[in-house]
Amino acid sequence: MANKILKKSDSFYAVYDRKPGEDKMNTHYCPGCGHGNIHKYVAEAIDELGIQDRTIIVSPVGCSVFIYYYFDLGNIQVAHGRAPAVATALKRAHPHAIVISYQGDGDLAAIGGNNIIQAANRGEQITVVFVNNAIYGMTGGQVAPTTLVGMKSSTTPRGRAIENEGYPMKVSELIAALTAPVYVERTALWDTSSRNKAKRSIKKALKAQMEGKGFTFCEIMSPCPSGWKLTPAQSLEWMKENMGAYYKVGVLRDEIKTREPIIKEKKTVTSKEIQEVLGTDIKPSEHYPTNPEDRYKNPSMKFAGFGGQGVLSLGTMLANAAMEQGFNSSWIPSYGPEMRGGTAYCFVNISDKEIGSPTVSNPDLLVAFNRPSLEKFEGDVKPGGIIMYDSTIIDVQPTRDDVEILAVPATGIAESLGNIRCANTVMAGVYLAKTKIMAKEALIQTLPKAIKKKHLIDLNIHALEKGFEFIENN
Amino acid sequence: MAKEFIKGNEAVVKGAILAGCQSFYGYPITPASEIAEAAAKFFPSVGRVFLQAESEIAAIQMTYGAAAAGERTMTASSSPGVSLKQEGISYAASSELPVVLVDIMRAGPGLGSIAPEQSDYNQIVKGGGHGNYKLIVLAPNSAQEMCNLTMLAFELADKYRAVACVLADGYIGQMMEPVEYPEPVEMKIDKSSWALHATKETRKNLINSIYLEPAELEAHNQNLQNKFAEIEKNEIRFDEYRTDDAEYIGVAYGIMSRIMRSVVDTAREKGIKLGLVRPISLFPFPKAKLRSYRENIKGYFVTELSNGQMVDDVRLAVGELKPVRLYTRMGGYVPSIEEVFEGFEKAFIK
Ligand SMILES: Cc1ncc(C[n+]2csc(CCOP(=O)(O)OP(=O)(O)O)c2C)c(N)n1
Ligand code: SF4
């Protein structure tokens, strides 16, 4: 366990130029620290697999935060515990990359606990090298989720107590309990033979990643003489005797041979295809000019009723058609605290000028589909405005005498057409026939955008025509 | 060009794809969820990545990874989720990663409600995370701008290697309006000098935010500050309405700027010369523009849906020569034109 890595792999820099200070040859790790060995195994595996150019290694927060001093790989240093999330996106951006998330036990099991579980569960095609030294090394030896029961640390001065800190977390077992991971093994650094297994495990995981097999996880028990307050030699003994007794070395999952690879590739899509998918290359609509009286121009409207009566879609239908006829228009639903009480409503503005506030206190038009909304909003309508209400459903009459009032049996008419859900379109017809702010054809043109189910379009055209007839006959 | 009638939140997603955004990482929250839903629908259809992350903490970190990988990437959320993103925002700002964040603000503090507020101004414009950094902040007030400013956010994020935020309120996110779409953009920027492409050429690159030597970290901070100064010089955006002969200058952004536009018309009908300056960029803030009126007007009238957050920037910009008065609502209440006008009258006329 020398802190000097003697024969350097290609995947290490020959001289550690990024490391501050005079000494550019030795690592910053304490004598007897396991990180150096693990780095060496990672570098050797990368060399042997010939993947140096396409490997990106994610450094955690912990003693190994400075991985980028040493590894001649694509390097990225990330926030505490978040390496699996960052690695997820690196891999998805570059499916050909080999992505390694190198993490300590505080980083991975404590603060990043959710991030590692979720990345594993998604089966991200990354390799996690999990250095379990049963303690927080970098911050001076505090308790980790992996600290053994009874073990002293600077934040468990009396030793880890199950009543206070619970039991040490067996992370590999947790990961192996998930379905997605393809390979999970726990190894250790306590003697030559165990160290060889650690190295083999890393290489095996990286190879599986190259083959697109899925999420691979290498836990390695590693000494932290400084945190444990032991000599390097004592550390190895202590680790084997105590950690080895609690954390069993061995393969917890290996489905590399049987798993079907998932090979992800980025596909290129042309601008034309993008516009098609997004529907952003929009064909101009037909214009059907009308000549409304001035008092009907540039209306602000409120549509109100129970959810399901088509109140919101009546609004979007009119606003959409208005847009196609060259007007400015806006639609805003009742939203937030206003939504309570079962009554849905929306505001629509149609204007030949730029629209300021999308809501107005005093609309030019109120269309009410239920009694509560008629009673609640009729007082707001601007003098000289219009109140339309569904007289099939509402059994009272508005009390205002300074507005135009239209009692429209919209639901009744819709029922006679065989579907009460087109009552809203009946209302649209009545409104257009009354005010002439848009032609019937303008609304017919827009129906396919408002009504997703094709077979309902004819029905709604009928409903619209019935609305027009209602005005012609009254 | 013909237009589509669409929700602001959905216009964000179409704008992002047109801008060449390659990945979307999000987590659902009202009133921003339509963004994640539209992204889930469209991103995979055009060969791009959509992933619902395990949390907002993870989502922003995923954009950290994606931006480091050299691609245009984004995340979107609403206020409580943005609080969680602050860790990642600070890291991305320091590592100079071009990330686009969309915040559809709702009422707080705490869980608050899903109704609109503008109370994330401080946490976005002043930097809610640790350290000395700024975000580029763009404040749309229409569905059209939800699309256009999202596209601009990608451009500026890349131009300055910075985090750019589209800051809108729930109303602007939920409102439907006509949107005319620009052509798709080809992202031609060569990022190989710093990004990780998993290639021989980019193997030397390092994405990093740790600097242990005070001198080094100070220099890094200084570089960041120089960049923010550059942004302040180049990227100020605002809109003016009836300000030419104004005796009072209204200042508002987002939904409040729409209401204020109507308030200006109301005032003008009554012979009161009110005008409106709408900051489109909140950082950089149009300080000089606002200050330029101060000799000739009687006062500034700031309206916002918060306890008064932007008003601090207005006060810093214009000084004490003329009164700066504030009308605010909180809790998800969006005032009517009449209420705001009354607030104006109380502040200046009566
Ligand atoms: C958000 C955050 N919280 C706390 C810290 C402080 N911190 C740095 S390293 C570390 C513990 C790392 O321990 P571990 O992951 O076990 O790695 P080791 O140092 O033992 O290799 C902590 C808590 C931090 N950098 N960021
Ligand atoms: S504190 Fe422990 S983990 Fe950190 S370098 Fe020293 S021995 Fe290694």
Side-chain angles (χ1 to χ4, degrees):
Chain A
M1 298 264 158
N3 68 339
K4 184 165 184 166
I5 296 164
L6 287 171
K7 189 182 152 294
K8 281 181 182 166
S9 302
D10 290 344
S11 297
F12 281 132
Y13 294 115
V15 180
Y16 304 140
D17 285 326
R18 281 179 179 151
K19 187 169 172 252
E22 303 279 284
D23 180 1
K24 307 283 188 195
M25 295 309 288
N26 294 294
T27 69
H28 69 289
Y29 296 111
C30 310
C33 175
H35 277 301
N37 289 65
I38 298 172
H39 288 13
K40 183 167 175 281
Y41 304 150
V42 170
E44 284 170 3
I46 291 168
D47 286 359
E48 287 162 26
L49 294 167
I51 52 176
Q52 184 183 8
D53 288 340
R54 61 173 168 132
T55 300
I56 299 174
I57 190 158
V58 185
S59 350
V61 170
C63 283
S64 47
V65 61
F66 300 119
I67 272 183
Y68 59 87
Y69 290 171
Y70 314 119
F71 281 103
D72 185 358
L73 303 170
N75 274 290
I76 176 167
Q77 199 292 310
V78 306
H80 200 16
R82 313 296 174 221
V86 176
T88 292
L90 285 164
K91 183 74 180 192
R92 283 165 183 251
H94 297 308
H96 76 282
I98 300 301
V99 180
I100 301 172
S101 179
Y102 187 107
Q103 302 182 258
D105 44 9
D107 191 80
L108 181 141
I111 194 166
N114 193 27
N115 301 114
I116 189 64
I117 295 283
Q118 301 292 339
N121 193 49
R122 288 189 301 263
E124 297 298 340
Q125 298 200 2
I126 61 173
T127 297
V128 177
V129 175
F130 169 43
V131 181
N132 178 2
N133 59 14
I135 204 153
Y136 284 22
M138 186 177 217
T139 37
Q142 296 83 7
V143 69
T146 45
T147 299
L148 298 181
V149 175
M151 190 174 155
K152 286 191 176 158
S153 76
S154 64
T155 49
T156 50
R158 291 161 214 89
R160 180 182 188 141
I162 50 173
E163 315 81 65
N164 204 47
E165 286 87 22
Y167 290 92
M169 193 183 272
K170 294 180 177 173
V171 180
S172 285
E173 282 80 350
L174 273 174
I175 300 293
L178 302 169
T179 310
V182 65
Y183 171 65
V184 182
E185 180 168 2
R186 180 186 288 121
T187 56
L189 298 183
W190 50 62
D191 58 26
T192 314
S193 121
S194 72
R195 286 199 283 270
N196 286 339
K197 282 190 187 136
K199 190 200 149 178
R200 275 203 300 276
S201 162
I202 292 169
K203 187 171 172 187
K204 185 167 173 175
L206 290 175
K207 191 157 170 289
Q209 185 182 162
M210 290 167 72
E211 292 162 357
K213 296 285 185 160
F215 183 85
T216 49
F217 190 85
C218 307
E219 173 172 346
I220 303 167
M221 288 185 273
S222 170
C224 174
S226 304
W228 299 349
K229 311 228 170 345
L230 298 173
T231 66
Q234 287 168 334
S235 295
L236 296 184
E237 258 172 60
W238 181 88
M239 177 164 70
K240 185 166 186 180
E241 206 173 297
N242 298 282
M243 288 183 73
Y246 186 79
Y247 299 112
K248 297 289 173 218
V249 292
V251 176
L252 289 113
R253 165 81 55 82
D254 183 358
E255 296 177 4
I256 296 172
K257 286 216 174 72
T258 52
R259 262 320 153 86
E260 281 302 317
I262 300 173
I263 307 293
K264 291 185 183 162
E265 267 165 35
K266 291 231 121 177
K267 65 173 172 192
T268 39
V269 179
T270 64
S271 289
K272 182 116 197 58
E273 286 170 298
I274 290 171
Q275 287 176 313
E276 268 168 36
V277 169
L278 297 183
T280 56
D281 192 10
I282 302 160
K283 308 273 164 301
S285 314
E286 285 299 325
H287 271 243
Y288 303 100
T290 58
N291 198 9
E293 290 175 38
D294 277 351
R295 64 182 165 138
Y296 294 136
K297 283 181 181 166
N298 300 343
S300 62
M301 328 180 216
K302 187 167 196 169
F303 303 94
F306 290 124
Q309 285 184 306
V311 172
L312 301 185
S313 57
L314 172 56
T316 54
M317 213 189 292
L318 287 168
N320 213 326
M323 172 193 75
E324 291 175 351
Q325 298 308 307
F327 294 106
N328 292 309
S329 61
S330 68
W331 172 94
I332 177 103
S334 47
Y335 154 64
E338 302 153 347
M339 222 153 57
R340 287 186 208 122
T343 290
Y345 66 85
C346 64
F347 278 108
V348 171
N349 282 281
I350 294 176
S351 182
D352 51 23
K353 303 187 178 63
E354 209 170 301
I355 295 167
S357 175
T359 69
V360 286
S361 308
N362 305 113
D364 301 294
L365 168 73
L366 169 68
V367 181
F369 284 91
N370 66 5
R371 184 170 164 174
S373 46
L374 178 63
E375 290 174 343
K376 190 164 170 210
F377 300 128
E378 85 165 285
D380 296 341
V381 178
K382 205 182 274 173
I386 306 173
I387 295 177
M388 294 168 57
Y389 68 100
D390 190 331
S391 55
T392 315
I393 291 185
I394 302 172
D395 53 6
V396 294
Q397 283 172 8
T399 56
R400 295 276 297 267
D401 56 10
D402 57 346
V403 296
E404 290 187 74
I405 292 175
L406 288 171
V408 184
T411 298
I413 295 172
E415 203 165 8
S416 72
L417 293 172
N419 190 335
I420 58 163
R421 304 198 66 163
C422 63
N424 57 354
T425 312
V426 173
M427 282 291 197
V430 173
Y431 175 64
L432 294 191
K434 168 84 188 157
T435 61
K436 303 193 174 54
I437 67 156
M438 283 185 278
K440 195 199 296 177
E441 292 75 14
L443 210 78
I444 292 176
Q445 173 176 251
T446 214
L447 278 178
K449 283 185 197 139
I451 295 159
K452 293 282 165 312
K453 291 183 185 139
K454 291 274 171 291
H455 67 279
L456 292 178
I457 290 173
D458 279 348
L459 172 76
N460 278 278
I461 293 175
H462 280 144
L464 192 65
E465 278 162 352
K466 286 285 177 198
F468 272 80
E469 279 169 28
F470 178 83
I471 288 293
E472 283 153 23
N473 302 337
N474 283 275
Chain B
M1 246 294 263
K3 298 178 180 180
E4 180 180 27
F5 196 68
I6 187 173
K7 254 190 193 184
N9 279 344
E10 288 164 0
V12 162
V13 172
K14 295 197 176 185
I17 291 175
L18 292 172
C21 179
Q22 295 295 327
S23 55
F24 182 101
Y25 295 99
Y27 189 84
I29 182 167
T30 312
S33 292
E34 292 91 354
I35 302 181
E37 286 163 1
K41 178 171 168 193
F42 291 118
F43 271 66
S45 305
V46 290
R48 301 180 188 181
V49 173
F50 168 84
L51 183 63
Q52 181 170 318
E54 60 266 32
S55 66
E56 290 86 349
I57 295 173
I60 187 83
Q61 295 295 346
M62 288 172 185
T63 66
Y64 185 93
E71 67 181 24
R72 285 192 165 173
T73 184
M74 74 180 294
T75 182
S77 189
S78 177
S79 315
V82 172
S83 298
L84 287 184
K85 288 183 192 293
Q86 292 295 357
E87 173 192 69
I89 294 170
S90 166
Y91 275 76
S94 182
S95 298
E96 301 193 82
L97 292 176
V99 166
V100 169
L101 159 73
V102 179
D103 179 7
I104 310 297
M105 294 180 280
R106 63 186 241 182
L111 206 46
S113 88
I114 62 172
E117 250 188 17
Q118 298 178 317
S119 49
D120 286 2
Y121 186 93
N122 282 349
Q123 77 155 333
I124 292 293
V125 177
K126 304 295 168 179
H130 61 286
N132 309 305
Y133 71 89
K134 291 278 188 186
L135 308 185
I136 297 166
V137 187
L138 304 172
N141 80 346
S142 63
Q144 182 68 60
E145 283 193 351
M146 287 291 263
C147 173
N148 293 6
L149 293 184
T150 299
M151 295 183 76
L152 179 63
F154 281 102
E155 192 185 313
L156 295 181
D158 272 338
K159 180 170 171 192
Y160 295 100
R161 284 188 59 188
V163 181
C165 176
V166 174
L167 184 67
D169 47 79
Y171 247 58
I172 299 298
Q174 296 297 320
M175 183 165 61
M176 289 179 91
E177 285 185 312
V179 173
E180 184 177 330
Y181 297 102
E183 297 278 305
V185 177
E186 288 268 357
M187 213 269 295
K188 287 191 224 76
I189 305 157
D190 181 4
K191 300 182 178 177
S192 58
S193 65
W194 59 268
L196 303 173
H197 294 154
T199 55
K200 189 180 181 68
E201 189 196 6
T202 60
R203 202 179 77 202
K204 62 176 195 318
N205 291 341
L206 166 65
I207 303 295
N208 187 23
S209 69
I210 184 171
Y211 299 87
L212 287 190
E213 303 286 325
E216 249 190 279
L217 186 52
E218 187 171 51
H220 173 61
N221 266 286
Q222 195 51 58
N223 286 340
L224 293 178
Q225 302 318 306
N226 294 348
K227 175 167 85 178
F228 301 136
E230 190 70 12
I231 293 170
E232 281 204 83
K233 216 166 69 196
N234 302 337
E235 306 300 344
I236 291 171
R237 286 170 171 80
F238 56 85
D239 200 15
E240 287 169 278
Y241 182 60
R242 303 180 87 163
T243 51
D244 280 354
D245 60 344
E247 294 181 341
Y248 302 94
I249 292 292
V251 189
Y253 70 101
I255 186 61
M256 285 311 295
S257 69
R258 294 290 292 267
I259 295 168
M260 270 301 287
R261 194 184 162 98
S262 298
V263 172
V264 166
D265 291 341
T266 304
R268 293 273 172 171
E269 277 163 26
K270 297 185 196 295
I272 301 166
K273 291 182 175 167
L274 176 63
L276 173 66
V277 175
R278 168 171 81 98
I280 295 174
S281 56
L282 295 175
F283 179 83
F285 197 68
K287 293 186 219 166
K289 182 75 227 177
L290 288 171
R291 194 163 47 241
S292 71
Y293 296 105
R294 65 181 187 167
E295 313 297 332
N296 305 318
I297 62 163
K298 295 181 178 158
Y300 296 89
F301 181 59
V302 180
T303 64
E304 40 181 330
L305 300 179
S306 72
N307 59 344
Q309 301 189 7
M310 179 180 68
V311 70
D312 291 346
D313 280 339
V314 177
R315 291 201 166 110
L316 277 175
V318 307
E320 293 184 350
L321 190 61
K322 293 291 159 63
V324 176
R325 296 194 178 131
L326 178 65
Y327 176 86
T328 68
R329 299 304 295 256
M330 292 178 276
Y333 194 90
V334 180
S336 66
I337 302 163
E338 293 76 15
E339 285 170 309
V340 179
F341 181 69
E342 205 178 295
F344 169 73
E345 281 187 310
K346 268 194 199 138
F348 284 106
I349 312 291
K350 284 177 183 161

